[in-house]
Amino acid sequence: MLIVGAAPAALAALAVYWHCARRLRALSAQVERMSLRIDDQLAELERGTRRRRELLANVSHDLRTPLASMRGYLELLLLRHGSLPPEEERNYLETAVRHSERLGRLVDDLFELSQLEGEEARPQPEPFSVAELAQDVALKFGLDARRRGIALRAVAGDGAAADVRALADIGMVERVLENLLDNALRHTPAGGTVSIEFGRDAHRARIVVRDTGSGIPADQMDGIFDRYDHADRALPGGRGGLGLAIARRIVRLHGGELAAASVAGAGACLSFDLPLAPPARAAAHRLMEGADA
């Protein structure tokens, strides 16, 4: 009886052992997965910290440069006031003003990016026509594009309807398009084309800024939205700066992602997505329900 009675106890103990062993293996695998995720997150934080240090170093350099130039020209004007020919004096003043404008744009970009990365940045979404916004922004950049000898257009993408409506902060989205267009125009030579293309899928509005410019080398593609972009001094009106970083942050605040594709020497394509506006009939029905309540 003792032997017969011991068998169930031994089987029960064995079952408990195997159950505990399985639980330990599962916990060990879970801990290993968590450890790998933590390692990945730490590596990403380290990469982000390194990119931020590089960005700050580049921005600091471009802050010092216009300040030093402005100081030099103004000191020269003070020292030689009354002895300079009017044309030379005006040239010094105009150069100092250009440097002050460049400095002001950079400070504005830094302030805007810090606001967008803070808790106070909240989009104010409203329904709007993507086609109308694209046409407005293209019109705003039309003179600059003609001066550079570049064809600029806003068109519906292949097979896309022209009445795509998004639900987003129209001012923020306009800022994204302005930054992407500025970037495209600066990197497209005379005779090239820059286009704003828009469309939609089942869930999101899609906007693409495409150019036939120099493209982005493959070894520079990684982290282009984190880097500080020095304006091309040879092109009139080139902004450079933090435009792509600002654009990516705005898109992410709308639950989307800013992506880049390019073939070096054959142009670049920057695209992002936005929430679709609900159909007008459904929106009107919700408004009526709210009024009845």
Side-chain angles (χ1 to χ4, degrees), residues 1-288:
M1 291 295 295
L2 289 174
I3 295 174
V4 173
L11 289 174
L14 187 61
V16 169
Y17 168 78
W18 285 114
H19 175 73
C20 291
R22 285 197 301 270
R23 291 284 295 171
L24 285 171
R25 285 196 297 272
L27 286 171
S28 177
Q30 185 177 1
V31 168
E32 185 175 356
R33 288 194 298 271
M34 289 178 63
S35 177
L36 290 174
R37 283 200 299 269
I38 290 171
D39 288 343
D40 290 341
Q41 290 170 355
L42 288 173
E44 180 59 31
L45 283 173
E46 184 177 350
R47 286 192 294 269
T49 301
R50 184 171 63 252
R51 289 193 296 262
R52 187 173 293 273
R53 281 198 301 266
E54 293 171 357
L55 182 146
L56 288 174
N58 288 326
V59 170
S60 298
H61 176 271
D62 266 19
L63 281 170
R64 287 195 299 269
T65 301
L67 279 172
S69 297
M70 286 170 56
R71 180 178 179 180
Y73 281 111
L74 292 174
E75 286 178 347
L76 180 61
L77 286 168
L78 283 173
L79 287 171
R80 300 183 59 187
H81 179 64
S83 63
L84 287 171
E87 297 80 7
E88 188 175 353
E89 184 172 302
R90 181 175 181 83
N91 179 57
Y92 289 157
L93 287 171
E94 288 176 348
T95 304
V97 167
R98 285 197 299 271
H99 282 298
S100 70
E101 289 172 347
R102 177 181 158 203
L103 182 63
R105 287 194 299 266
L106 182 53
V107 171
D108 289 343
D109 280 356
L110 283 169
F111 181 70
E112 183 176 4
L113 186 59
S114 66
Q115 281 191 315
L116 290 170
E117 290 181 342
E119 294 295 327
E120 66 273 13
R122 289 291 180 271
Q124 303 297 318
E126 59 179 298
F128 65 88
S129 167
V130 175
E132 290 180 6
L133 178 62
Q135 294 286 354
D136 288 346
V137 176
L139 184 63
K140 183 184 299 186
F141 281 78
L143 180 61
D144 187 27
R146 286 192 295 273
R147 186 168 61 244
R148 297 171 185 260
I150 298 170
L152 175 60
R153 58 180 186 163
V155 295
D158 294 339
D163 60 346
V164 178
R165 293 181 63 80
L167 182 65
D169 189 310
I170 187 170
M172 284 186 169
V173 177
E174 182 176 10
R175 179 76 160 110
V176 172
L177 282 175
E178 289 174 349
N179 288 357
L180 298 186
L181 272 185
D182 174 79
N183 183 74
L185 289 171
R186 286 191 296 107
H187 294 93
T188 301
T193 301
V194 173
S195 61
I196 308 173
E197 302 170 10
F198 49 88
R200 57 166 294 174
D201 58 22
H203 306 289
R204 309 278 288 183
R206 306 283 173 182
I207 304 175
V208 178
V209 174
R210 194 185 307 274
D211 67 66
T212 59
S214 55
I216 307 168
D219 60 348
Q220 297 180 19
M221 184 69 76
D222 182 41
I224 63 168
F225 301 119
D226 298 303
R227 289 199 297 270
Y228 174 73
D229 181 20
H230 293 278
D232 188 340
R233 309 295 186 257
L235 296 175
R239 263 183 116 261
L242 301 167
L244 292 183
I246 289 171
R248 183 183 66 168
R249 181 57 183 161
I250 290 174
V251 172
R252 286 184 170 178
L253 286 172
H254 288 85
E257 192 60 52
L258 180 59
S262 176
V263 175
C269 171
L270 284 88
S271 60
F272 63 97
D273 58 295
L274 298 168
L276 283 172
R281 186 177 301 173
H285 181 65
R286 281 196 293 271
L287 285 174
M288 291 177 63

